[in-house]
Amino acid sequence: MNDDRTFTLDAETTEKLTAFGKLLDKDASTMINEALEQYFEAKDEELARQDPMTNLSYDEFWNDLDLD
């Protein structure tokens, strides 16, 4: 599936894409796709750890719980 979309990136992000693209010999599209894939994997893991009864992640639940 090739769905062309338009995104707006700030100047700093554009500069970093250019710099890392030259450093890694990759085009911006490849780097953005790799970054989004990592983001989606992390969010999938985060959602899998959420307790459907509380709507909190495992860490959010236990971080605010005082066991003293």
Side-chain angles (χ1 to χ4, degrees):
M1 179 173 101
N2 189 6
D3 187 14
D4 291 337
R5 298 187 186 247
T6 301
F7 297 96
T8 304
L9 302 173
D10 61 37
E12 183 179 349
T13 301
T14 303
E15 289 173 13
K16 287 181 180 180
L17 275 172
T18 301
F20 277 101
K22 290 177 183 175
L23 194 69
L24 301 171
D25 195 28
K26 292 184 178 184
D27 62 43
S29 183
T30 299
M31 291 185 292
I32 291 169
N33 283 321
E34 289 173 352
L36 284 172
E37 195 60 40
Q38 289 178 353
Y39 174 82
F40 295 143
E41 287 174 12
K43 288 301 175 183
D44 280 342
E45 289 176 14
E46 182 182 318
L47 290 171
R49 289 192 316 255
Q50 282 186 344
D51 184 347
M53 299 296 290
T54 65
N55 200 26
L56 296 173
S57 72
Y58 179 86
D59 292 333
E60 289 172 324
F61 177 82
W62 288 107
N63 283 343
D64 294 329
L65 190 62
D66 186 13
L67 298 175
D68 292 332

